[in-house]
């Protein structure tokens, strides 16, 4: 839970903006991540509360699969701490001014604005992205550049966190970004618990590639699952890429190719990410000795831990502890 501060905390309010032709999957991602009760987490309050909102009494979803009715109007955006804008396939059709106005108004009020998949088009159309980093689905990258040339598009990543505006690539990358928000808001331990409930990868860095080459497999099993599980149990050991390659019974060059093809990252980057995630969880669980955290997570020294943690979370170890470590006596505000 978001801990480590004597400041009052309350349930984080999330508004999901449903527009004509919105993709149902991405609405489902938002409600699954932020709208369902999580009693297994043992929190004294619901971490998020979700409201769906729209500009019309009835909203047909993508391809007319069904029509949504009985949801809130756009004034619900004004009460939100985070606004989620899912994608829709007809991206060259302008959004209604009511929808764009709600997005602009939310951003002007300091609301965190998040897009899933081609929802990035709506954020750009509302004027939020000029001169800023963003991503969208790789199939729409060329169209996006033509329509919004002043946006710093990064078309080959899973998601972009640009502070108060965050954008995810394809629909499944919305899950990655949603878990990233859980980590930002509530720490690595709870994000890991939610990912286990979803049976989804606990942590895929936003910089990983969207489009992962997956050639037809040979008879020989080339899955990385076994070596990944083996390494995760030994993060405190001085593992190297050569160690991983030896365990996988391949050369380091072959291991690099498999990591690129299957995970969209390098063995060293994956290993570092796993170690930082473990360090975060150790801090959240109450370990205050940085040298112990560094040793148990395999980051080696307290100095390296500080650098890696700040790079991954934007926080120093002490700031991370104040925000997320257990037992810090927060006051709940409903």
């Amino acid at each position: 839970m978001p801990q480590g501060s004597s400041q009052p905390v309350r349930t984080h309010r999330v508004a999901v903006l449903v527009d004509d032709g919105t993709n149902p999957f991405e609405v489902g991602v938002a409600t699954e991540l932020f709208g369902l009760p999580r009693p297994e987490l043992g929190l004294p309050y619901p971490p998020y509360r979700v409201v769906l909102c729209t500009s019309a009494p009835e909203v047909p979803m993508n391809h007319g699969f069904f029509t949504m009715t009985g949801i809130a109007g756009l004034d619900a955006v004004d009460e939100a701490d985070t606004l989620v804008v899912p994608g829709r396939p007809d991206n060259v059709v302008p959004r209604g001014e009511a929808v764009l106005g709600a997005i602009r108004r939310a951003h002007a009020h300091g609301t965190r604005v998040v897009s899933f998949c081609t929802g990035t088009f709506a954020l750009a159309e509302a004027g939020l992205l000029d001169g800023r980093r963003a991503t969208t689905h790789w199939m729409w990258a060329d169209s996006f550049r033509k329509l919004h040339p002043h946006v710093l598009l990064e078309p080959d990543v899973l998601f972009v966190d640009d502070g108060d505006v965050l954008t995810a690539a394809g629909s499944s990358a919305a899950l990655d970004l949603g878990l990233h928000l859980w980590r930002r808001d509530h720490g690595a331990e709870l994000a890991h618990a939610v990912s286990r409930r979803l049976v989804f990868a606990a942590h895929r860095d936003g910089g990983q590639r969207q489009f992962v080459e997956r050639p037809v497999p040979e008879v020989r099993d080339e899955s990385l699952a076994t070596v990944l599980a083996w390494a995760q149990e030994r993060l405190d050991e001085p593992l190297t890429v050569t160690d991983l390659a030896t365990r996988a019974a391949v050369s380091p060059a072959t291991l690099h190719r498999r990591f690129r093809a299957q995970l969209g990252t390098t063995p060293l980057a994956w290993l570092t990410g796993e170690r930082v995630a473990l360090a975060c969880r150790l801090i959240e669980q109450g370990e205050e000795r940085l040298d112990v955290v560094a040793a148990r997570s395999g980051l080696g020294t307290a100095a390296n831990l500080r650098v890696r943690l700040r790079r991954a979370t934007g926080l120093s170890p002490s700031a991370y502890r104040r925000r997320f470590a257990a037992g810090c006596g927060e006051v709940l505000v409903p």
Side-chain angles (χ1 to χ4, degrees):
M1 72 187 73
Q3 299 177 7
S5 170
S6 60
Q7 297 299 314
V9 296
R10 57 171 171 74
T11 297
H12 189 103
R13 300 163 297 187
V14 179
V16 182
L17 201 163
V18 184
D19 196 8
D20 252 11
T22 291
N23 288 326
F25 179 82
E26 289 149 28
V27 177
V29 168
T31 55
E32 174 74 27
L33 281 165
F34 307 120
L36 297 186
R38 302 283 179 190
E40 71 275 11
L41 299 183
L43 299 173
Y45 60 95
Y48 298 100
R49 182 174 291 115
V50 169
V51 59
L52 305 184
C53 61
T54 184
S55 61
E58 297 185 353
V59 186
M61 304 299 283
N62 184 16
H63 291 319
F65 288 133
F66 58 88
T67 297
M68 296 197 73
T69 62
I71 59 178
L74 290 179
D75 54 349
V77 170
D78 299 327
E79 303 298 322
D81 302 302
T82 293
L83 172 64
V84 175
V85 182
R88 66 179 198 187
D90 50 346
N91 297 297
V92 296
V93 178
R95 269 72 175 171
E97 186 53 40
V99 169
L100 297 178
I103 295 173
R104 295 186 190 108
R105 191 168 68 247
H107 185 249
H109 290 167
T111 300
R112 182 171 63 186
V113 181
V114 177
S115 70
F116 289 166
C117 195
T118 56
T120 311
F121 281 78
L123 271 54
E125 196 175 343
L128 270 61
L129 297 180
D130 282 358
R132 300 187 67 157
R133 298 167 53 240
T135 192
T136 192
H137 194 288
W138 60 269
M139 287 183 64
W140 291 95
D142 290 341
S143 298
F144 186 91
R145 286 194 182 99
K146 291 175 183 176
L147 288 170
H148 307 290
H150 301 298
V151 179
L152 306 179
L153 186 68
E154 300 184 12
D156 197 31
V157 298
L158 292 177
F159 62 83
V160 170
D161 181 344
D162 202 34
D164 60 335
V165 178
L166 301 92
T167 52
S171 297
S172 65
L175 283 164
D176 293 295
L177 178 53
L179 289 170
H180 174 74
L181 292 174
W182 266 92
R183 284 190 297 274
R184 265 185 50 167
D185 296 340
H186 303 293
E189 184 70 13
L190 289 191
H192 186 70
V194 173
S195 73
R196 289 199 305 269
R197 176 70 179 268
L198 295 173
V199 195
F200 192 74
H203 179 72
R204 291 201 300 170
D205 185 80
Q208 290 184 214
R209 294 165 56 208
Q210 284 186 40
F211 185 72
V212 178
E213 299 287 349
R214 294 186 184 274
V216 176
E218 301 174 3
V219 174
R220 184 175 65 255
D221 181 14
E222 294 187 351
S223 169
L224 291 170
T226 301
V227 72
L228 297 183
W230 176 83
Q232 286 169 328
E233 294 176 355
R234 295 165 175 80
L235 293 174
D236 59 333
E237 299 177 12
L239 296 177
T240 65
V241 174
T242 300
D243 294 329
L244 297 182
T246 300
R247 179 67 184 182
V250 297
S251 69
T254 297
L255 187 73
H256 270 275
R257 285 195 297 272
R258 291 187 185 176
F259 263 78
R260 282 293 189 189
Q262 297 181 36
L263 300 180
T265 189
T266 67
L268 184 58
W270 176 84
L271 193 58
T272 300
E274 291 296 310
R275 284 172 165 160
V276 171
L278 176 56
C280 289
R281 294 172 65 189
L282 291 170
I283 293 171
E284 291 172 33
Q285 291 166 7
E287 179 56 68
E288 298 184 356
R289 298 164 296 177
L290 292 190
D291 56 339
V292 173
V293 173
R296 290 181 59 188
S297 64
L299 291 174
T301 66
N304 189 43
L305 168 62
R306 290 188 184 93
V307 170
R308 297 294 182 180
L309 190 66
R310 185 176 292 278
R311 186 174 299 167
T313 68
L315 300 172
S316 66
S318 57
Y320 192 91
R321 181 183 299 109
R322 284 194 300 271
R323 182 171 179 184
F324 294 119
C328 296
E330 290 179 322
V331 179
L332 173 63
V333 178

